[in-house]
């Protein structure tokens, strides 16, 4: 078990705050017309990304979904790179060619956000296979939603990972909804990810996805097994998204009081509570939060000031030579 | 997109999707819908609004995120007496159930020697222009075109949505029905009662003697706007809306080229493997003598679709690109 | 439980013999150059098809794989129609347009053989959905191999069937091999179908697929539940294929003695044993077998005498109007 | 298929697949293979015979029947330092993992702004002529052509198999490598040591002044045989083997049409949505003035593929059909 000191926890709390503030900024920029296209905010899910990253090592891989801002930031993307991407600036994380759904920070091992539900699970398995082939000690993590557990790629990925005993972690962020439909209404089992794991011979845990320490501990256990050559683990982190599915969704399908109940267990509230228990002063907590807020304020200003996407980029990066030539 | 709205244009393309389906569901109890979030939620594009309320959960079914199960189940139901209308939310996701579109649905009738029929419709939101990025913006009607055995419709107006939907749902053959995301908010005249647009009949939306513009779905308003601009320069373009790719109304294209001697195909899918290649092939063969100038295709660039609006404009057809292509021929 | 009288059993034995003889004829015709393309013989699997059909009602649907001769015949296709199909005759079951991998007898509810592994599972689910929508009492059966349990369509089909509580039976013919690879080497659980059923909330049984009565009883139970509105069942019938995977496969990958052990439990031996136990005379058994043999002998002669495929058929049956017009 | 075997033709196309892979595996330890039954079994087409024995289970991996996992895992490995060579047994099954070919592999580099590369090869047995029926006989190189971001190779000779395989495996871009089932048994000269055929260079296999035949994979021997027959009638055909669809060597096509003024494209995939449409489009645009006659495409018919050999012959290109098409132009 990884020990989590108060100092560690304060850093985690700060990173989670950074994510929360970035999401809020993205939302506000959308309302003011500066963010276009679609965004899927992860406010509420912060502890899963941050807890996972904190239990892993540099060089470990992450594969995320269209709801991937928190994973990108947890793996080291800056809020400014992200906001600049949403705002179609040339300084965007993906040069404004990917957008909110495809945040990627490859140099940090965050190998992309994928917008076809479930598609990245086999890809994450492949990265784990590669780690094994190259005899590195790397672990690969696939983050995905509850809804992704009903698609074929989920099944194929888990089976292959099991058979080849690969160092991969399947981290489900079960927020109980697909887009607008409760997952329970379309799934044959109660815990959509964890209850499936036995059918691949993979161990699983259902964990509190709003408690960054619980996530961190579970991931540490799973990563340990993976590095020891004991194969994959399924972690089902129960959590909740504070906003609707995407920017156009007012989330009217939620029963009265549901959001409120989850807000009581907001991951930031939980971590703040843990910090206080561990003796961290309110001032120290506030200072961390203020640092995060300041970073995001600067990020907004920086992204706004950045140049628009460079038109010539439309025809670069198709091929490894940098170009897009398809004919002689 | 071109704005050519007039006073009679009171219904949206988006509403017309639900209207077209509802009309057929009222007519025929064997029509049932299935898809992700299409029920009480009314669909993520709001193209199924009202259906769940009117027809209830035995005719409008919410599914898991299981594209293969959605279209596979639609196929099994179609083979056994139902007329399912399956929604695949974004056309890009057809890739997740491509086996059904490529190998199962279009082939089962033929390979059983005609023992079964598959009267189903797969509806899907197609196309770009909204900044959804590489995996949610593609025009993939060309994928469907690679597969013999599928009928393919792609309406450009609200009335055509209703009229082609009627033909699609009544068809005893499988139909892929492409609804263009960029057109959902566009308005037009409502479809009259009982409106049916037969498959395989292109619409001549504008007459002109100088050049034929062949368009489909989103590129129809582009071509019309380009034609207006060209008219101001004294170039009269004839604009054809194919409305379907299969059956393909090449007769209409050849007749028009007979009049104009010049052809520009305007298509959103990429140039490589785009449907315009099939249209051009027929004309370069059967209409060779009619042509007085090179044939042009204004198509999507051969790159994935970028997120930023300004970048996306670089790589999908625009009015400017159509105008430029026609101009290059006029001086020919 | 369906009671199986000696008379019933003799009829099952006769149908199984009919299948066995047809497979042998197909094999011989292949060796003599009259059957082209590929064939996947089902000798050894007869009890699964025949036992299943015998527990069902007229009008119940079957969906099979490229290894589907036994299902077609169990559902009423004649050996002559099948052999004529393999021999590319105009009298073939599919007018020589489908071939061995696509046998279909739609009028009897046998709605096709599908050659993409796993693809027919969702289709069978759809037929079950249709039965429910039309409020008929029909059950739909998907037959598939052990190898099919690792493909995405399997997962999606089982989940949807469970959530919609559809009258569908998933009958796995576990013959322990994919093409040349043992299923155990590529699957995370021991019983590739049955051990997965719980992850969809579906009841499952592992059954003796070489005992026609065991199959019949299990299917009767499952069909009863399905018709009562209790949803799908997974049946994993353990069996063995006597020939190689397909006509080109000498099956060298089998360990010594494995085939021999299975031949001792040949489904025809098992049913003959049960018949004798039930007091059926050897003469009666032989008479039934001779009837089957005679039918197949006649079928071979009939198929040989039939005209070759009609060339014009290449351009029929694409569309429901009978034609193939794709343009104006 | 044409039999043009000579004394130097001592290796089969089938063997050359394994040889091409083996040469690269010897050169580069990051090359690994995965697929169904490719290990000890040597592949169902015997195209990986010997690899398992030479390189062992850490470089040649048998997989479950999980096409999505196969190509998805290949993608993840390619993004992290390996050069995977994934086999999809029959090209028809690409439909089962189409999302990876259409939406993931070709787009990830672009949409990450160039942060990652995907150096992988997807090999697959393509095409008909063997009586495998509708779901195991398709020529689906046109599917791949609809997707910008994939390179596409389809060799017609044993030496090209080796030479293009070298380019494919060394490519930092994703490659779909179509091996033609109908050619597996054909023989040719062995590839010299170190043989590399660069992508995007068509081969002129026969010179002639009267008509250009553009072919690929299985249609190359067809075109060559047709050219021999036509020569007997006094018609000299130039035969081009494209070898790749992306990059597409349109320069070679245009140069040839410059000499011949006539073009016939011979392709096995269906006419509707076939790759010939893209070739014809370029020529009808950039080469319009070079043409003296209609452009013809001898392509697959727009029907699923029937099982019976005689029926299959009706719907796929044959020497007769090529000869007829050329004759119809010669008299033009
Ligand atoms: C294959 C596929 N089908 C459908 C969609 C549309 N879609 C995007 S997100 C989503 C819901 C996903 O739910 P879940 O996996 O629970 O993730 P969450 O959004 O809750 O984080 C759907 C249906 C998609 N992107 N890909
Ligand atoms: C999607 C797909 N992948 C691969 C194949 C090639 N293939 C045909 S049969 C087979 C093995 C299937 O094994 P199993 O499901 O156990 O059925 P069995 O042949 O043993 O009856 C394979 C891999 C296919 N037809 N479809
Ligand atoms: Mg969710
Ligand atoms: Mg098997």
């Amino acid at each position: 078990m990884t020990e989590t000191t108060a100092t560690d926890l304060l850093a985690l709390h700060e990173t989670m705050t950074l994510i929360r503030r970035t999401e809020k900024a993205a939302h506000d920029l959308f309302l003011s017309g500066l963010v276009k296209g679609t965004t899927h905010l992860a406010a509420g899910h912060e502890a899963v990304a941050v807890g996972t990253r904190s239990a892993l090592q540099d060089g470990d891989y992450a594969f995320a979904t269209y709801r991937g801002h928190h994973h990108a930031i947890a793996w080291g993307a800056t809020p400014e790179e992200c906001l600049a991407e949403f705002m179609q600036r040339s300084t965007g994380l993906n040069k404004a060619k990917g957008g909110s759904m495809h945040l990627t920070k490859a140099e940090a091992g965050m190998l992309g956000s994928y917008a076809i539900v479930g598609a990245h699970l086999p890809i994450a398995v492949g990265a784990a296979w590669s780690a094994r082939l190259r005899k590195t000690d790397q672990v690969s993590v696939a983050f995905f939603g509850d809804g992704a557990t009903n698609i074929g790629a989920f099944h194929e990925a888990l089976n292959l990972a099991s058979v080849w005993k690969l160092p991969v972690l399947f981290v489900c962020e079960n927020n109980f909804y697909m887009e607008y439909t409760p997952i329970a209404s379309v799934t044959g089992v109660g815990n959509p990810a964890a209850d499936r794991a036995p059918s691949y011979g993979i161990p699983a845990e259902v964990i509190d996805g709003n408690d960054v320490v619980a996530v961190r501990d579970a991931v540490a256990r799973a990563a340990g097994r993976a590095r020891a050559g004991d194969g994959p683990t399924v972690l089902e982190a129960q959590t909740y998204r504070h906003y609707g599915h995407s920017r156009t969704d007012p989330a009217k399908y939620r029963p009265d009081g549901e959001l409120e109940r989850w807000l009581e267990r907001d991951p930031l509230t939980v971590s703040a509570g843990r910090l206080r228990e561990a003796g961290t002063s309110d001032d120290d907590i506030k200072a961390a939060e203020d640092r995060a807020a300041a970073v995001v304020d600067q990020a907004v200003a920086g992204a706004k000031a950045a140049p628009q996407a460079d038109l010539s980029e439309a025809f670069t990066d198709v091929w490894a030579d940098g170009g897009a030539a398809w004919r002689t | 997109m071109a704005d050519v709205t007039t006073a009679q244009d009171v219904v949206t393309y988006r509403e017309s999707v639900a209207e077209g389906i509802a009309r057929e569901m009222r007519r025929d109890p064997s029509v049932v819908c299935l898809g992700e979030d299409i029920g009480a939620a009314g669909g993520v594009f709001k193209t199924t609004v009202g259906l769940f309320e009117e027809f209830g959960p035995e005719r409008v079914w919410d599914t898991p995120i299981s594209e293969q199960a959605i279209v596979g189940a639609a196929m099994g139901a179609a083979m056994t007496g139902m007329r399912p209308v399956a929604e695949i939310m974004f056309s890009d996701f057809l890739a997740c159930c491509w086996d059904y579109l490529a190998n199962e649905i279009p082939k089962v009738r033929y390979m059983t020697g005609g023992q079964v029929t598959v009267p189903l419709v797969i509806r899907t939101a197609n196309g770009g222009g909204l900044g959804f990025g590489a995996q949610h913006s593609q025009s993939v009607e060309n994928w469907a075109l690679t597969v013999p055995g599928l009928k393919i419709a792609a309406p450009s107006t609200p009335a055509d949505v209703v009229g082609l939907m009627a033909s699609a749902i009544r068809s005893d053959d499988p139909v892929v029905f492409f609804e263009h995301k960029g057109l959902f908010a566009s308005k037009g005249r409502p479809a009259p009662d009982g409106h049916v647009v037969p498959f395989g009949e292109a619409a001549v939306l504008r007459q002109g003697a100088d050049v034929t513009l062949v368009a489909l779905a989103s590129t129809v308003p582009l071509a019309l706007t380009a034609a207006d601009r060209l008219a101001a320069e004294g170039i009269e373009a004839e604009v054809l809306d194919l409305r379907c790719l299969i059956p393909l109304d090449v007769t209409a294209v050849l007749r028009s080229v007979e009049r104009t001697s010049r052809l520009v195909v305007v298509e959103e899918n990429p140039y490589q493997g785009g449907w315009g290649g099939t249209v051009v092939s027929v004309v370069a063969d059967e209409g060779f003598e009619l042509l007085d100038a090179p044939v042009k295709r204004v198509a999507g660039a051969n790159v994935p679709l970028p997120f930023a609006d300004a970048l996306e404009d670089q790589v999908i057809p625009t009015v400017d690109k159509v105008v430029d292509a026609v101009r290059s021929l006029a001086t020919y």
Side-chain angles (χ1 to χ4, degrees), chain B residues 103-104 107 135 138 145 272 278 285 289 296 332:
Chain B
N103 291 329
E104 316 297 340
K107 293 180 168 54
Q135 295 185 329
Q138 293 167 94
L145 188 64
Q272 65 178 67
T278 300
D285 182 354
E289 303 201 338
K296 298 268 171 202
Y332 190 85

Side-chain angles (χ1 to χ4, degrees), chain B residues 32-49:
Chain B
V32 285
C33 295
L34 74 167
E36 296 161 14
D37 303 293
I38 67 164
V44 299
F45 294 108
K46 303 289 168 210
T47 45
T48 54
V49 167

